[in-house]
Amino acid sequence: MNGPVIHDAYTLPVDDNVNPYAFSVELDGQWFLQKGKMVAYYGQIGFQGIGLGRLDRLVAGSFHSPLHAAEWVVAEGKGKMVLADRAFDVNSYDLDDGNLTIRSGNLLAYQPSLALKQSIVPGFLTLIGTGKFVAASNGPVVFMEPPIRVDPQALVGWADCPTPNHHYDHEYLRGVMGGIRAHTGLGGTSGEEHQFEFVGAGTVLLQSTEDLMEEIAVGATGGTGS
Amino acid sequence: MLAVDLTGDSVKAKNGAMVAYEGDMTFKKRTGGGEGLRGMVTRRLTGEQMEVMEVKGHGTCYFADRASEINLVSLHGEKLYVEAGNLLCTDAALRTGTSFTGLRGSAQGNGLFTTTVEGTGQAALVSHGAAIVLRVTPQTPLQVDPGAYVAHTGNLKQHFQSGVNFRALIGESGGEAFQIRFEGEGLVYVQPSERNTIGGEI
């Protein structure tokens, strides 16, 4: 049996996957990083919380999501950094003057040439601009085209298409039984009465599970640093 | 899942890790990690307890643990440092022991002691996601998140590194406040996932 591949500071891939669950970033400058997603690094790298200070200008240009500020840090320096998240599948994506919205827990890191904004849909973040970002999904990502209705839990993100709307199966709540169901909750539900509906041109990213990444409550101040 | 072919020889494995076997096998409970009375006492004292069984017989034995990834490590006389929870099974010829880890262990929430495996043969490690093997040389020291560390071999010095500064105290921490810094010559096994650690949230 062959031994495992041994990586060192020079053979680690440059901005590419080490294996399906880990991604190596060659850092020379700055990257935005979600807290706790760095598993190892070579070289001189420092991690700075997002707040007032010398990162002010960078944050002003590339980070417009104060609700999420407690979850993000800036990695600064020179070296190679391995990113991973709960052994989920990790992939990098390139945006070329585009926009992509993604579930906040699934985004691991992005280049400061992209700007991060809060999406109108709660729990989602929008990346705008040109650059690379790294995202995780539970199981490989499947790309779909609108028109499509998707389960909210399976949705990872969407690119280039208009913001989705909610869709409810109205049929299910009609009639006598439906009335009882709607008012008392008795009678059970299939769990699939609510979907996100996408229309227009673009791409929808789905993961092959309905297991969500654990979400950090947003809106709290002070973050997890206490 | 790990398949081990046995021809009259034996392996040591974590208790309850057997999922199937073909042929004739006997399973014998070994107390305290299988290194005699002294080892048993040490393990009790250090909290680095390991429930071990000895599997002996002819045929193939299959081991698995919570659908974790299994990584094989070949040892040729060197010493492997691994957390007891990450060790699935070893060749019977390998000696296991305990050693003091200092601050690193306490930061991981794994206690102050770790398990060592020594000798010539193969050991199987479990990790959450396939482990990545990273080489450390004197020119390229490596920093690892305590929650992602699985095991290491070779002549490595570990320091506990913290990036805590006054901003951490006012809630603007860097989120990656603690790392283990490995210096020297050796290999470090890292899993693509982070355990919950005491230091991990800081």
Side-chain angles (χ1 to χ4, degrees):
Chain A
M1 180 165 177
N2 289 332
V5 186
I6 296 168
H7 295 282
D8 63 29
Y10 308 105
T11 60
L12 265 182
V14 174
D15 296 344
D16 203 355
N17 275 68
V18 183
N19 66 24
Y21 318 112
F23 187 88
S24 162
V25 171
E26 178 156 38
L27 188 71
D28 187 4
Q30 295 162 322
W31 267 69
F32 281 88
L33 192 68
Q34 194 165 156
K35 275 184 191 174
K37 310 300 182 200
M38 186 280 299
V39 293
Y41 69 88
Y42 288 106
Q44 295 296 320
I45 299 178
F47 300 90
Q48 298 286 333
I50 288 175
L52 294 173
R54 88 202 145 71
L55 294 170
D56 223 10
R57 277 184 64 186
L58 177 76
V59 172
S62 309
F63 196 89
H64 306 272
S65 184
L67 277 184
H68 296 268
E71 299 159 41
W72 286 83
V73 294
V74 176
E76 251 185 324
K78 213 170 155 55
K80 281 199 179 149
M81 182 161 73
V82 179
L83 309 178
D85 190 2
R86 277 160 281 173
F88 282 30
D89 284 56
V90 177
N91 274 300
S92 74
Y93 304 83
D94 287 299
L95 271 186
D96 184 14
D97 202 11
N99 76 79
L100 182 135
T101 305
I102 186 166
R103 191 179 289 279
S104 63
N106 288 51
L107 184 63
L108 260 55
Y110 68 94
Q111 276 178 333
S113 58
L114 289 165
L116 186 77
K117 318 227 169 186
Q118 255 165 254
S119 169
I120 280 196
V121 183
F124 284 80
L125 294 167
T126 303
L127 287 163
I128 298 178
T130 302
K132 202 184 262 297
F133 67 93
V134 182
S137 60
N138 196 351
V141 167
V142 183
F143 297 88
M144 309 285 239
E145 269 184 34
I148 187 172
R149 288 179 187 155
V150 306
D151 188 288
Q153 274 96 50
L155 180 66
V156 172
W158 64 90
D160 300 328
C161 50
T163 303
N165 42 54
H166 295 285
H167 177 89
Y168 291 92
D169 286 349
H170 184 57
E171 276 297 306
Y172 204 73
L173 298 175
R174 274 204 332 210
V176 177
M177 278 311 289
I180 294 171
R181 221 176 258 132
H183 286 103
T184 65
L186 296 176
T189 55
S190 72
E192 306 285 6
E193 288 78 30
H194 170 218
Q195 299 105 33
F196 281 169
E197 183 176 72
F198 288 89
V199 291
T203 314
V204 179
L205 285 69
L206 301 178
Q207 62 184 359
S208 43
T209 177
E210 299 188 358
D211 265 356
L212 284 190
M213 327 276 292
E214 183 187 337
E215 276 192 49
I216 305 164
V218 293
T221 50
T224 52
S226 52
Chain B
M1 188 130 93
L2 177 74
V4 179
D5 288 318
L6 294 174
T7 48
D9 46 347
S10 63
V11 293
K12 283 185 273 190
K14 197 177 187 173
N15 243 10
M18 189 276 290
V19 287
Y21 68 92
E22 292 160 6
D24 286 328
M25 297 279 166
T26 54
F27 301 91
K28 205 167 99 190
K29 169 86 165 66
R30 298 279 298 260
T31 337
E35 66 247 32
L37 191 63
R38 193 163 157 263
M40 196 173 103
V41 173
T42 321
R43 280 185 186 279
R44 284 272 170 219
L45 287 177
T46 57
E48 185 74 8
Q49 285 179 35
M50 206 164 60
E51 297 272 286
V52 167
M53 59 182 181
E54 193 180 88
V55 186
K56 200 171 181 173
H58 292 268
T60 310
C61 192
Y62 299 92
F63 297 104
D65 186 28
R66 275 175 291 164
S68 305
E69 292 285 334
I70 294 172
N71 310 273
L72 281 178
V73 183
S74 296
L75 292 176
H76 308 281
E78 68 261 49
K79 210 178 208 177
L80 173 77
Y81 297 81
V82 60
E83 284 304 320
N86 288 105
L87 190 61
L88 181 67
C89 80
T90 65
D91 280 344
L94 291 171
R95 291 184 302 283
T96 49
T98 24
S99 81
F100 182 69
T101 55
L103 257 180
R104 172 182 69 73
S106 56
Q108 277 173 273
N110 288 336
L112 291 167
F113 296 86
T114 196
T115 298
T116 55
V117 182
E118 226 180 331
T120 302
Q122 284 197 319
L125 308 180
V126 285
S127 60
H128 188 202
I132 305 158
V133 192
L134 295 169
R135 185 184 297 282
V136 178
T137 65
Q139 292 78 40
T140 55
L142 176 72
Q143 283 75 243
V144 178
D145 190 287
Y149 166 85
V150 174
H152 76 266
T153 62
N155 185 19
L156 287 177
K157 266 208 305 212
Q158 21 180 320
H159 303 272
F160 198 57
Q161 175 173 307
S162 100
V164 180
N165 50 21
F166 79 96
R167 292 176 63 179
L169 299 176
I170 56 167
E172 281 188 0
S173 72
E176 303 285 8
F178 296 105
Q179 288 111 30
I180 326 165
R181 184 177 168 90
F182 288 96
E183 280 172 11
E185 195 79 63
L187 299 176
V188 180
Y189 293 77
V190 177
Q191 66 182 3
S193 168
E194 297 192 357
R195 281 185 289 266
N196 281 333
T197 61
I198 300 170
E201 281 286 302
I202 299 174

